[in-house]
Structures are given as C-alpha cells and as structure tokens.
Amino acid sequence: MAATNLLSHSSSLPKTLKQPLRRNPFAQVPILTLKRTRNPQKPLSLKAVLSQNPTKTSTQESPAFQHCFTKSSDGFLYCEDTKVQDIMEGLEKRPFYLYSKPQITRNVEAYKEALEGLNSIIGYAIKANNNFKILQHLRKLGCGAVLVSGNELRLALRAGFDPTRCIFNGNGKLLEDLALAAQEGVFVNVDSEFDLENIVAAARIAGKKVNVLLRINPDVDPQVHPYVATGNKNSKFGIRNEKLQWFLDAVKTHPNELKLVGAHCHLGSTITKVDIFRDAAILMVNYIDEIRAQGFEVDYLNIGGGLGIDYHHTGAVLPTPRDLIDTVRELVLSRNLNLIIEPGRSLIANTCCLVNHVTGVKTNGTKNFIVIDGSMAELIRPSLYGAYQHIELVSPSLPDAEISAFDVVGPVCESADFLGKDRELPTPAKGAGLVVHDAGAYCMSMASTYNLKMRPPEYWVEEDGQVTKIRHGETFEDHMRFFEGL
C-alpha cells in the first residue's frame, strides 16, 4: 500500500501533450509546407506532436549502417531526404534539436540483429535522452529501460515500458524510489551495503520479493575520459570483488525480500575497444560460477553499455553492436545466461543535431570566433568534458568566403561557453545555419537554463519526411510559473 501511495503522489508527465497545461497552455503548431527535399514527390510538412498510436516501422530496413545527416552535392545538409535549411525556415528563430526517427529505428535494429540467438534485454539508458516521444518509440521497438532515478522509473512506466524489462541502477537510490521499483517488479542492482539495506526495506514496504543483481566493480580500465569511467577501482559505483562473499551471505539472510538473479558490471562510456567488454565478461562469468556454486539460481549477466561512436567524423572504423555482442556471445552461451545490455549513446547520439543560427563573426586579433545562438546551456559536453562534436554549416557558403580556424561559441557569460575550438570553417554569413552533430545523447538531457537561456524545442523527421515537434521549447513564462502564488 505504501508503495502504491508513492506512485500515486509522484510528479510525472501528462499522458498526452495534447492536453493543455493549466495557466500556461502551449499553442499547437500549425501544419506548414516547407520548401524543397531531395525527393519532390514527398511534400515536407511540419506538424504538432502526434498522438500515442503505435508507429508503423518498416521491416525492410537494411542492416548496413546508414547515417541520417549527409551533405549532398548541392552543398546543403540533409536529414534523411529533408533539407535542414528548409526546416529552419519553417520554425521560430531559436536553437532546436533535430532527430531522425528512422535512424533511431536503424540503431535499435542493429542491436536486435546482433543479439539473435541469445536471450537478451536491450535496456535503453534513459539518462542519455529522456524525451517522452523517443522513449515511446524505443518501447515500441522492443527495448527495455535502464533507470538511475525514481523519476526516470516513473517516466518509463508512463511511456509504457514493461517493468520486468527495466533495470534500476545507481549508487544512491532512495527508499521511496526503491519501493516503487519493488512494487512494479523492476530488476534492481545492488551497489553497496546501505543500498542492500534499503532494497530489503523497500521489499517489505511493497510486500514483494525483489529480483536483484550484484553490481560488481571488475577494476577494468575502459581507456576513456575519467569522468565517464565507471568500472575501475576508484569509481564510486559497484561493490569490490573481494566483498562478494559478504553480499552473498547478506542476501542469504533475506530470502523473503531478495532473489539474487544475476551479476552486473558497467565499465564506462565512449568505449571503442570491444575486447575490454570481453575482459570484463570473463571476470563476470567466473563470479557467476562462484555464485552458482553456493546454490543461487543466477540467470542474468548484465554487461552494461558504453559503446562509442565516431564523434570526429573521420571515417574511423569503430566497433558495431555485432562486434560488441560477438565478443561475449560464447561466454554467455557457455553459462546458459540471459544477457542484458544497456546502450544509450550508441542508440541515440548519432540520430540528432543541435541546429543553431550564426549571430555574427568576430576576432580579437589572435583568435576568430563564430558566435551562435546555441551555447553550453543547450549542449554542455564540450565545456564539461572537453568533448569533440563535429560542426558544419547547413548550406553552401558564399564563393568568396574565407576558410579560417574559428572557435564556435555561444552568448553565455562564461569563457567555458564553447561548442568547438579551432574548427576550419568558411566564414559564415549572419543568420546562417550551423549544426553540432551527434547531439542525441547527453546533450538535451543535460541542458540547463543558465543565463535564462530556455531549453530548446525538439523535432524529428519521420519515415515519410514529415517534421514533427516532439518537445515544446521552454519560455520565459514557464520560468515565472515556478513563482506563482509565493
């Protein structure tokens, strides 16, 4: 009962964005006819947020990799067959995120094909991108969900995910959120001694036994930026392998609250060497052998996520989902395990660009700057991690435009406000379109309202070429709503 009350009093999204918000209704976006596409037989239109009817997806998609954003011979950037410049001209002049819905489908299908022959769960990491319409689409494609907060759990439930295909991670999960997870039948990863105590308490509140996995820190170096490394001995995540027996003994003392069903590890993010996953999987199946030897019926191996993408657009040959799965396939089959994977970035990052407008060009004598209306508030990865994301203009430059090295910066009052440094670009005209590529993961989900730059709208190009708003842009009036009645 307590867990039910926690659920009923939780704050969550409305069931449909068509319902107006009290005191601040969103205006519906009219259908617009934009200009040109590569295929003149397919008219380009912009429409408001769709209903939640299941979207039909093609069963004829090629398994070969196909990217959604390409420069055509005419010098214009296209998303699928739709010209980005035309989309910009049909919208209000502010930064916005633009996705390819077909690319999301292709990315999921690549994982599903790689996993053929294995019992598996593709658990999409909601922290990468929590857009409600995208989550609904991923759920329809058969994904489960990986959660790291109570609100992500509530959002997954609202989006219709099967809770028995959801995994609740985190090193500081709260009791009330664990109670909801227990109530719904979500897998829960045990991260520490106090986490185990809280999971036991949550099971008693919900009156249900919780399926748990032990998150073991395998101390494997993923060779990535230290901020996104999660599986080495200095990480705050997981239990040290030498503590394994303590946790097994603790689980044994709570047979009515806990059922140990598997082991979990997560190495980090932006990983480009799949042999690292094999190294970790070898360690993990050995731990599973030890766990089974003590009488536990352990059926799940969760190897986490973290597969990287080609942010530099240099044509580097990077591991595919099949490369990743093939490194662990025989190990999984040898122990008759169900495999859980937790992709976030590799499902969503390359499906999206942040589209910006050039405010102007300036120089300080030693450095050239392209100033845009987007900023670290909309996309913080370069400022936070020093991350590289490819940048280009959406339309051909003027014939006499000089190519120079520019820092691409925003208007936020911080020297850290940059989207890219030392980029060779033609000098753009004022108002020109400029995109930051591979912005689907850890960009909008990390956006802020710093300097009161309100978080931008999101759109996607659908299979038929229509451009659909999938999130309203925030406004100044939205900010003021938080102070009403105070």
Side-chain angles (χ1 to χ4, degrees):
M1 181 65 70
T4 304
N5 290 337
L6 287 171
L7 175 61
S8 64
H9 288 90
S10 65
S11 59
S12 54
L13 294 177
K15 288 187 177 180
T16 170
L17 294 178
K18 285 187 173 181
Q19 297 299 321
L21 296 179
R22 188 165 57 90
R23 294 183 178 162
N24 188 30
F26 290 111
Q28 292 296 313
V29 179
I31 295 177
L32 302 177
T33 301
L34 304 185
K35 292 186 177 179
R36 291 165 291 175
T37 68
R38 276 188 236 177
N39 183 352
Q41 302 303 314
K42 293 179 11 180
L44 173 65
S45 64
L46 172 71
K47 56 182 182 176
V49 180
L50 292 175
S51 70
Q52 297 185 25
N53 293 329
T55 302
K56 293 181 180 179
T57 55
S58 172
T59 58
Q60 305 299 316
E61 291 290 343
S62 169
F65 178 76
Q66 175 185 353
H67 199 276
C68 52
F69 287 96
T70 56
K71 269 287 181 74
S72 188
S73 58
D74 61 7
F76 285 92
L77 181 69
Y78 286 79
C79 179
E80 302 295 342
D81 288 329
T82 302
K83 190 180 291 186
V84 176
Q85 182 68 44
D86 290 348
I87 297 172
M88 294 180 68
E89 291 173 1
L91 305 178
E92 59 181 308
K93 190 176 179 182
R94 64 182 292 183
F96 63 92
Y97 281 97
L98 178 65
Y99 300 81
S100 161
K101 188 179 181 184
Q103 183 71 52
I104 298 172
T105 301
R106 289 193 288 266
N107 289 349
V108 173
E109 291 301 321
Y111 270 102
K112 291 169 71 173
E113 290 164 6
L115 288 161
E116 287 179 356
L118 296 175
N119 294 322
S120 61
I121 296 175
I122 302 173
Y124 169 68
I126 289 181
K127 66 191 176 87
N129 187 308
N130 55 31
N131 182 286
F132 187 60
K133 302 300 291 184
I134 291 173
L135 294 181
Q136 287 183 310
H137 182 54
L138 290 169
R139 184 259 300 167
K140 291 168 190 172
L141 292 172
C143 290
V146 174
L147 325 157
V148 292
S149 74
N151 281 338
E152 286 189 354
L153 171 53
R154 294 175 183 92
L155 184 61
L157 295 173
R158 187 62 63 90
F161 283 92
D162 178 353
T164 65
R165 292 173 60 82
C166 293
I167 304 95
F168 193 9
N169 288 337
N171 68 302
K173 301 183 286 290
L174 301 179
L175 177 58
E176 64 184 62
D177 298 332
L178 286 168
L180 176 59
Q183 176 72 34
E184 297 294 333
V186 172
F187 289 107
V188 178
N189 282 325
V190 178
D191 189 86
S192 65
E193 293 89 343
F194 72 78
D195 197 35
L196 183 68
E197 292 175 2
N198 283 336
I199 297 168
V200 170
R204 291 170 178 166
I205 292 171
K208 292 186 177 181
K209 186 180 294 188
V210 180
N211 290 325
V212 297
L213 294 85
L214 296 180
R215 178 167 181 169
I216 301 173
N217 184 326
D219 196 13
V220 173
D221 180 8
Q223 301 176 39
V224 296
H225 191 287
Y227 286 8
V228 292
T230 58
N232 57 41
K233 64 183 179 182
N234 296 318
S235 173
K236 71 176 184 176
F237 299 103
I239 64 176
R240 295 291 295 143
N241 49 34
E242 61 265 25
K243 294 275 290 186
L244 176 59
Q245 188 59 54
W246 185 95
F247 282 91
L248 296 179
D249 291 340
V251 171
K252 290 175 185 176
T253 64
H254 297 288
N256 297 323
E257 292 85 10
L258 305 176
K259 181 180 180 181
L260 179 58
V261 298
H264 170 263
C265 71
H266 194 290
L267 304 179
S269 195
T270 68
I271 297 172
T272 57
K273 298 178 180 178
V274 292
D275 57 342
I276 294 170
F277 288 98
R278 179 172 177 81
D279 293 343
I282 291 172
L283 293 172
M284 295 302 293
V285 295
N286 287 333
Y287 292 135
I288 287 174
D289 288 344
E290 293 181 28
I291 296 169
R292 284 176 167 176
Q294 298 193 36
F296 292 99
E297 296 180 2
V298 172
D299 297 320
Y300 290 89
L301 171 61
N302 184 337
I303 61 168
L307 194 63
I309 67 166
D310 182 15
Y311 278 111
H312 286 264
H313 287 214
T314 58
V317 179
L318 295 179
T320 65
R322 184 172 295 279
D323 294 329
L324 167 59
I325 301 305
D326 283 350
T327 63
V328 302
R329 176 181 295 275
E330 293 307 318
L331 287 166
V332 172
L333 291 172
S334 71
R335 303 310 198 275
N336 193 28
L337 291 164
N338 301 292
L339 181 65
I340 300 174
I341 58 170
E342 302 180 346
R345 184 189 315 276
S346 56
L347 283 183
I348 200 71
N350 68 4
T351 70
C352 177
C353 284
L354 176 65
V355 184
N356 310 273
H357 306 79
V358 173
T359 303
V361 177
K362 64 178 288 188
T363 181
N364 65 5
T366 59
K367 177 74 74 172
N368 301 316
F369 300 93
I370 297 174
V371 184
I372 60 175
D373 54 358
S375 70
M376 66 185 289
E378 289 85 3
L379 196 160
I380 198 174
R381 290 186 72 252
S383 300
L384 182 62
Y385 300 137
Y388 182 98
Q389 292 183 230
H390 187 61
I391 292 174
E392 66 180 328
L393 300 174
V394 306
S395 57
S397 56
L398 297 174
D400 58 348
E402 181 180 353
I403 296 178
S404 300
F406 292 96
D407 283 6
V408 179
V409 301
V412 164
C413 193
E414 294 283 349
S415 294
D417 180 26
F418 64 91
L419 284 301
K421 290 190 173 184
D422 297 318
R423 304 300 178 88
E424 296 284 336
L425 292 166
T427 303
K430 183 177 181 180
L434 178 148
V435 299
V436 181
H437 280 280
D438 304 308
Y442 305 103
C443 293
M444 182 60 176
S445 65
M446 298 174 74
S448 74
T449 57
Y450 187 47
N451 283 197
L452 276 189
K453 281 182 60 58
M454 311 312 295
R455 284 178 291 191
E458 295 177 284
Y459 298 84
W460 64 18
V461 175
E462 300 198 58
E463 292 83 356
D464 61 1
Q466 292 189 100
V467 178
T468 304
K469 179 183 278 191
I470 58 173
R471 177 174 172 140
H472 294 290
E474 295 177 2
T475 67
F476 177 74
E477 287 71 27
D478 293 323
H479 177 72
M480 294 309 298
R481 276 194 303 124
F482 294 110
F483 308 97
E484 290 178 0
L486 299 181

PDB file of all heavy atoms in Angstrom, residues 189-215:
ATOM      1  N   ASN A 189      19.821  -3.297  -9.186  1.00  0.00           N
ATOM      2  CA  ASN A 189      21.229  -3.599  -8.977  1.00  0.00           C
ATOM      3  C   ASN A 189      21.652  -3.178  -7.577  1.00  0.00           C
ATOM      4  O   ASN A 189      21.371  -2.046  -7.154  1.00  0.00           O
ATOM      5  CB  ASN A 189      22.100  -2.883 -10.009  1.00  0.00           C
ATOM      6  CG  ASN A 189      22.074  -3.586 -11.348  1.00  0.00           C
ATOM      7  OD1 ASN A 189      21.995  -4.808 -11.421  1.00  0.00           O
ATOM      8  ND2 ASN A 189      22.128  -2.816 -12.416  1.00  0.00           N
ATOM      9  N   VAL A 190      22.330  -4.070  -6.865  1.00  0.00           N
ATOM     10  CA  VAL A 190      22.836  -3.785  -5.529  1.00  0.00           C
ATOM     11  C   VAL A 190      24.202  -3.138  -5.672  1.00  0.00           C
ATOM     12  O   VAL A 190      25.119  -3.722  -6.254  1.00  0.00           O
ATOM     13  CB  VAL A 190      22.935  -5.071  -4.688  1.00  0.00           C
ATOM     14  CG1 VAL A 190      23.506  -4.754  -3.309  1.00  0.00           C
ATOM     15  CG2 VAL A 190      21.576  -5.746  -4.580  1.00  0.00           C
ATOM     16  N   ASP A 191      24.363  -1.941  -5.093  1.00  0.00           N
ATOM     17  CA  ASP A 191      25.589  -1.167  -5.300  1.00  0.00           C
ATOM     18  C   ASP A 191      26.456  -1.058  -4.049  1.00  0.00           C
ATOM     19  O   ASP A 191      27.638  -0.759  -4.147  1.00  0.00           O
ATOM     20  CB  ASP A 191      25.221   0.240  -5.797  1.00  0.00           C
ATOM     21  CG  ASP A 191      26.422   1.037  -6.246  1.00  0.00           C
ATOM     22  OD1 ASP A 191      26.807   0.904  -7.421  1.00  0.00           O
ATOM     23  OD2 ASP A 191      26.994   1.781  -5.419  1.00  0.00           O
ATOM     24  N   SER A 192      25.877  -1.267  -2.863  1.00  0.00           N
ATOM     25  CA  SER A 192      26.622  -1.070  -1.617  1.00  0.00           C
ATOM     26  C   SER A 192      25.881  -1.743  -0.476  1.00  0.00           C
ATOM     27  O   SER A 192      24.750  -2.246  -0.650  1.00  0.00           O
ATOM     28  CB  SER A 192      26.772   0.424  -1.316  1.00  0.00           C
ATOM     29  OG  SER A 192      25.495   1.012  -1.059  1.00  0.00           O
ATOM     30  N   GLU A 193      26.491  -1.734   0.710  1.00  0.00           N
ATOM     31  CA  GLU A 193      25.855  -2.296   1.891  1.00  0.00           C
ATOM     32  C   GLU A 193      24.576  -1.541   2.240  1.00  0.00           C
ATOM     33  O   GLU A 193      23.536  -2.158   2.505  1.00  0.00           O
ATOM     34  CB  GLU A 193      26.820  -2.255   3.087  1.00  0.00           C
ATOM     35  CG  GLU A 193      28.029  -3.176   2.945  1.00  0.00           C
ATOM     36  CD  GLU A 193      29.212  -2.519   2.251  1.00  0.00           C
ATOM     37  OE1 GLU A 193      29.015  -1.487   1.591  1.00  0.00           O
ATOM     38  OE2 GLU A 193      30.334  -3.045   2.383  1.00  0.00           O
ATOM     39  N   PHE A 194      24.636  -0.211   2.240  1.00  0.00           N
ATOM     40  CA  PHE A 194      23.424   0.543   2.592  1.00  0.00           C
ATOM     41  C   PHE A 194      22.363   0.412   1.509  1.00  0.00           C
ATOM     42  O   PHE A 194      21.157   0.447   1.790  1.00  0.00           O
ATOM     43  CB  PHE A 194      23.739   2.011   2.908  1.00  0.00           C
ATOM     44  CG  PHE A 194      24.103   2.871   1.726  1.00  0.00           C
ATOM     45  CD1 PHE A 194      23.148   3.360   0.847  1.00  0.00           C
ATOM     46  CD2 PHE A 194      25.431   3.231   1.500  1.00  0.00           C
ATOM     47  CE1 PHE A 194      23.478   4.168  -0.226  1.00  0.00           C
ATOM     48  CE2 PHE A 194      25.781   4.039   0.430  1.00  0.00           C
ATOM     49  CZ  PHE A 194      24.800   4.505  -0.445  1.00  0.00           C
ATOM     50  N   ASP A 195      22.800   0.250   0.257  1.00  0.00           N
ATOM     51  CA  ASP A 195      21.845   0.038  -0.824  1.00  0.00           C
ATOM     52  C   ASP A 195      21.094  -1.271  -0.607  1.00  0.00           C
ATOM     53  O   ASP A 195      19.871  -1.334  -0.777  1.00  0.00           O
ATOM     54  CB  ASP A 195      22.600   0.016  -2.156  1.00  0.00           C
ATOM     55  CG  ASP A 195      21.694   0.206  -3.364  1.00  0.00           C
ATOM     56  OD1 ASP A 195      20.711   0.964  -3.262  1.00  0.00           O
ATOM     57  OD2 ASP A 195      21.970  -0.390  -4.421  1.00  0.00           O
ATOM     58  N   LEU A 196      21.817  -2.314  -0.199  1.00  0.00           N
ATOM     59  CA  LEU A 196      21.177  -3.595   0.091  1.00  0.00           C
ATOM     60  C   LEU A 196      20.154  -3.449   1.217  1.00  0.00           C
ATOM     61  O   LEU A 196      19.035  -3.972   1.133  1.00  0.00           O
ATOM     62  CB  LEU A 196      22.240  -4.622   0.469  1.00  0.00           C
ATOM     63  CG  LEU A 196      21.737  -6.046   0.745  1.00  0.00           C
ATOM     64  CD1 LEU A 196      21.223  -6.681  -0.534  1.00  0.00           C
ATOM     65  CD2 LEU A 196      22.833  -6.890   1.361  1.00  0.00           C
ATOM     66  N   GLU A 197      20.504  -2.712   2.262  1.00  0.00           N
ATOM     67  CA  GLU A 197      19.565  -2.498   3.369  1.00  0.00           C
ATOM     68  C   GLU A 197      18.302  -1.792   2.883  1.00  0.00           C
ATOM     69  O   GLU A 197      17.183  -2.154   3.276  1.00  0.00           O
ATOM     70  CB  GLU A 197      20.237  -1.661   4.464  1.00  0.00           C
ATOM     71  CG  GLU A 197      21.372  -2.375   5.199  1.00  0.00           C
ATOM     72  CD  GLU A 197      22.070  -1.455   6.180  1.00  0.00           C
ATOM     73  OE1 GLU A 197      21.636  -0.288   6.307  1.00  0.00           O
ATOM     74  OE2 GLU A 197      23.046  -1.894   6.805  1.00  0.00           O
ATOM     75  N   ASN A 198      18.477  -0.788   2.033  1.00  0.00           N
ATOM     76  CA  ASN A 198      17.323  -0.044   1.521  1.00  0.00           C
ATOM     77  C   ASN A 198      16.455  -0.923   0.623  1.00  0.00           C
ATOM     78  O   ASN A 198      15.218  -0.794   0.618  1.00  0.00           O
ATOM     79  CB  ASN A 198      17.784   1.189   0.759  1.00  0.00           C
ATOM     80  CG  ASN A 198      18.228   2.310   1.678  1.00  0.00           C
ATOM     81  OD1 ASN A 198      17.818   2.380   2.833  1.00  0.00           O
ATOM     82  ND2 ASN A 198      19.069   3.207   1.177  1.00  0.00           N
ATOM     83  N   ILE A 199      17.067  -1.795  -0.164  1.00  0.00           N
ATOM     84  CA  ILE A 199      16.291  -2.682  -1.034  1.00  0.00           C
ATOM     85  C   ILE A 199      15.469  -3.653  -0.192  1.00  0.00           C
ATOM     86  O   ILE A 199      14.297  -3.934  -0.491  1.00  0.00           O
ATOM     87  CB  ILE A 199      17.225  -3.429  -2.010  1.00  0.00           C
ATOM     88  CG1 ILE A 199      17.927  -2.435  -2.949  1.00  0.00           C
ATOM     89  CG2 ILE A 199      16.429  -4.439  -2.843  1.00  0.00           C
ATOM     90  CD1 ILE A 199      19.072  -3.038  -3.752  1.00  0.00           C
ATOM     91  N   VAL A 200      16.054  -4.164   0.873  1.00  0.00           N
ATOM     92  CA  VAL A 200      15.306  -5.042   1.790  1.00  0.00           C
ATOM     93  C   VAL A 200      14.113  -4.292   2.388  1.00  0.00           C
ATOM     94  O   VAL A 200      12.988  -4.817   2.440  1.00  0.00           O
ATOM     95  CB  VAL A 200      16.236  -5.570   2.903  1.00  0.00           C
ATOM     96  CG1 VAL A 200      15.427  -6.268   3.993  1.00  0.00           C
ATOM     97  CG2 VAL A 200      17.285  -6.515   2.319  1.00  0.00           C
ATOM     98  N   ALA A 201      14.354  -3.050   2.830  1.00  0.00           N
ATOM     99  CA  ALA A 201      13.259  -2.251   3.399  1.00  0.00           C
ATOM    100  C   ALA A 201      12.180  -1.982   2.359  1.00  0.00           C
ATOM    101  O   ALA A 201      10.977  -2.033   2.659  1.00  0.00           O
ATOM    102  CB  ALA A 201      13.819  -0.939   3.949  1.00  0.00           C
ATOM    103  N   ALA A 202      12.592  -1.714   1.124  1.00  0.00           N
ATOM    104  CA  ALA A 202      11.629  -1.453   0.051  1.00  0.00           C
ATOM    105  C   ALA A 202      10.792  -2.687  -0.243  1.00  0.00           C
ATOM    106  O   ALA A 202       9.580  -2.590  -0.490  1.00  0.00           O
ATOM    107  CB  ALA A 202      12.366  -0.994  -1.212  1.00  0.00           C
ATOM    108  N   ALA A 203      11.419  -3.860  -0.221  1.00  0.00           N
ATOM    109  CA  ALA A 203      10.685  -5.106  -0.450  1.00  0.00           C
ATOM    110  C   ALA A 203       9.611  -5.308   0.619  1.00  0.00           C
ATOM    111  O   ALA A 203       8.490  -5.748   0.321  1.00  0.00           O
ATOM    112  CB  ALA A 203      11.659  -6.279  -0.462  1.00  0.00           C
ATOM    113  N   ARG A 204       9.934  -4.962   1.844  1.00  0.00           N
ATOM    114  CA  ARG A 204       8.944  -5.105   2.930  1.00  0.00           C
ATOM    115  C   ARG A 204       7.807  -4.100   2.767  1.00  0.00           C
ATOM    116  O   ARG A 204       6.646  -4.425   3.031  1.00  0.00           O
ATOM    117  CB  ARG A 204       9.655  -4.924   4.265  1.00  0.00           C
ATOM    118  CG  ARG A 204      10.600  -6.082   4.590  1.00  0.00           C
ATOM    119  CD  ARG A 204      11.477  -5.797   5.798  1.00  0.00           C
ATOM    120  NE  ARG A 204      12.327  -6.949   6.112  1.00  0.00           N
ATOM    121  CZ  ARG A 204      13.368  -6.899   6.932  1.00  0.00           C
ATOM    122  NH1 ARG A 204      13.689  -5.752   7.537  1.00  0.00           N
ATOM    123  NH2 ARG A 204      14.087  -7.977   7.153  1.00  0.00           N
ATOM    124  N   ILE A 205       8.139  -2.882   2.351  1.00  0.00           N
ATOM    125  CA  ILE A 205       7.092  -1.874   2.116  1.00  0.00           C
ATOM    126  C   ILE A 205       6.139  -2.339   1.020  1.00  0.00           C
ATOM    127  O   ILE A 205       4.909  -2.242   1.142  1.00  0.00           O
ATOM    128  CB  ILE A 205       7.722  -0.521   1.744  1.00  0.00           C
ATOM    129  CG1 ILE A 205       8.475   0.067   2.935  1.00  0.00           C
ATOM    130  CG2 ILE A 205       6.653   0.455   1.231  1.00  0.00           C
ATOM    131  CD1 ILE A 205       9.305   1.295   2.580  1.00  0.00           C
ATOM    132  N   ALA A 206       6.713  -2.866  -0.074  1.00  0.00           N
ATOM    133  CA  ALA A 206       5.894  -3.284  -1.210  1.00  0.00           C
ATOM    134  C   ALA A 206       5.245  -4.640  -0.989  1.00  0.00           C
ATOM    135  O   ALA A 206       4.273  -4.984  -1.682  1.00  0.00           O
ATOM    136  CB  ALA A 206       6.762  -3.329  -2.473  1.00  0.00           C
ATOM    137  N   GLY A 207       5.775  -5.410  -0.050  1.00  0.00           N
ATOM    138  CA  GLY A 207       5.260  -6.754   0.163  1.00  0.00           C
ATOM    139  C   GLY A 207       5.593  -7.690  -0.972  1.00  0.00           C
ATOM    140  O   GLY A 207       4.849  -8.640  -1.253  1.00  0.00           O
ATOM    141  N   LYS A 208       6.727  -7.426  -1.632  1.00  0.00           N
ATOM    142  CA  LYS A 208       7.124  -8.239  -2.777  1.00  0.00           C
ATOM    143  C   LYS A 208       8.618  -8.530  -2.723  1.00  0.00           C
ATOM    144  O   LYS A 208       9.406  -7.708  -2.263  1.00  0.00           O
ATOM    145  CB  LYS A 208       6.801  -7.515  -4.091  1.00  0.00           C
ATOM    146  CG  LYS A 208       5.315  -7.363  -4.376  1.00  0.00           C
ATOM    147  CD  LYS A 208       5.092  -6.765  -5.753  1.00  0.00           C
ATOM    148  CE  LYS A 208       3.600  -6.676  -6.076  1.00  0.00           C
ATOM    149  NZ  LYS A 208       3.373  -6.110  -7.435  1.00  0.00           N
ATOM    150  N   LYS A 209       8.986  -9.708  -3.227  1.00  0.00           N
ATOM    151  CA  LYS A 209      10.396 -10.063  -3.329  1.00  0.00           C
ATOM    152  C   LYS A 209      10.998  -9.345  -4.530  1.00  0.00           C
ATOM    153  O   LYS A 209      10.376  -9.257  -5.597  1.00  0.00           O
ATOM    154  CB  LYS A 209      10.554 -11.575  -3.484  1.00  0.00           C
ATOM    155  CG  LYS A 209      11.995 -12.077  -3.454  1.00  0.00           C
ATOM    156  CD  LYS A 209      12.078 -13.589  -3.620  1.00  0.00           C
ATOM    157  CE  LYS A 209      11.461 -14.310  -2.432  1.00  0.00           C
ATOM    158  NZ  LYS A 209      11.721 -15.777  -2.508  1.00  0.00           N
ATOM    159  N   VAL A 210      12.209  -8.816  -4.356  1.00  0.00           N
ATOM    160  CA  VAL A 210      12.863  -8.045  -5.398  1.00  0.00           C
ATOM    161  C   VAL A 210      13.915  -8.898  -6.098  1.00  0.00           C
ATOM    162  O   VAL A 210      14.738  -9.550  -5.439  1.00  0.00           O
ATOM    163  CB  VAL A 210      13.537  -6.782  -4.818  1.00  0.00           C
ATOM    164  CG1 VAL A 210      14.220  -5.976  -5.917  1.00  0.00           C
ATOM    165  CG2 VAL A 210      12.513  -5.930  -4.072  1.00  0.00           C
ATOM    166  N   ASN A 211      13.886  -8.900  -7.430  1.00  0.00           N
ATOM    167  CA  ASN A 211      14.936  -9.541  -8.216  1.00  0.00           C
ATOM    168  C   ASN A 211      16.142  -8.610  -8.273  1.00  0.00           C
ATOM    169  O   ASN A 211      16.047  -7.496  -8.794  1.00  0.00           O
ATOM    170  CB  ASN A 211      14.454  -9.834  -9.630  1.00  0.00           C
ATOM    171  CG  ASN A 211      13.426 -10.937  -9.675  1.00  0.00           C
ATOM    172  OD1 ASN A 211      13.494 -11.885  -8.891  1.00  0.00           O
ATOM    173  ND2 ASN A 211      12.466 -10.831 -10.570  1.00  0.00           N
ATOM    174  N   VAL A 212      17.267  -9.042  -7.712  1.00  0.00           N
ATOM    175  CA  VAL A 212      18.444  -8.181  -7.635  1.00  0.00           C
ATOM    176  C   VAL A 212      19.610  -8.795  -8.391  1.00  0.00           C
ATOM    177  O   VAL A 212      19.727 -10.018  -8.538  1.00  0.00           O
ATOM    178  CB  VAL A 212      18.867  -7.913  -6.168  1.00  0.00           C
ATOM    179  CG1 VAL A 212      17.775  -7.167  -5.425  1.00  0.00           C
ATOM    180  CG2 VAL A 212      19.239  -9.203  -5.450  1.00  0.00           C
ATOM    181  N   LEU A 213      20.482  -7.904  -8.880  1.00  0.00           N
ATOM    182  CA  LEU A 213      21.766  -8.268  -9.448  1.00  0.00           C
ATOM    183  C   LEU A 213      22.841  -7.563  -8.630  1.00  0.00           C
ATOM    184  O   LEU A 213      22.636  -6.424  -8.173  1.00  0.00           O
ATOM    185  CB  LEU A 213      21.885  -7.835 -10.918  1.00  0.00           C
ATOM    186  CG  LEU A 213      20.963  -8.518 -11.945  1.00  0.00           C
ATOM    187  CD1 LEU A 213      19.605  -7.838 -11.998  1.00  0.00           C
ATOM    188  CD2 LEU A 213      21.614  -8.480 -13.335  1.00  0.00           C
ATOM    189  N   LEU A 214      23.950  -8.217  -8.427  1.00  0.00           N
ATOM    190  CA  LEU A 214      25.067  -7.584  -7.737  1.00  0.00           C
ATOM    191  C   LEU A 214      25.910  -6.827  -8.755  1.00  0.00           C
ATOM    192  O   LEU A 214      26.410  -7.420  -9.720  1.00  0.00           O
ATOM    193  CB  LEU A 214      25.922  -8.627  -7.022  1.00  0.00           C
ATOM    194  CG  LEU A 214      25.262  -9.411  -5.887  1.00  0.00           C
ATOM    195  CD1 LEU A 214      26.252 -10.411  -5.293  1.00  0.00           C
ATOM    196  CD2 LEU A 214      24.740  -8.479  -4.805  1.00  0.00           C
ATOM    197  N   ARG A 215      26.044  -5.512  -8.533  1.00  0.00           N
ATOM    198  CA  ARG A 215      26.893  -4.714  -9.419  1.00  0.00           C
ATOM    199  C   ARG A 215      28.333  -4.813  -8.927  1.00  0.00           C
ATOM    200  O   ARG A 215      28.720  -4.180  -7.944  1.00  0.00           O
ATOM    201  CB  ARG A 215      26.448  -3.262  -9.470  1.00  0.00           C
ATOM    202  CG  ARG A 215      27.376  -2.427 -10.370  1.00  0.00           C
ATOM    203  CD  ARG A 215      26.829  -1.080 -10.701  1.00  0.00           C
ATOM    204  NE  ARG A 215      27.742  -0.357 -11.574  1.00  0.00           N
ATOM    205  CZ  ARG A 215      27.443   0.768 -12.199  1.00  0.00           C
ATOM    206  NH1 ARG A 215      26.260   1.317 -12.052  1.00  0.00           N
ATOM    207  NH2 ARG A 215      28.326   1.367 -12.993  1.00  0.00           N
TER     208      ARG A 215
END
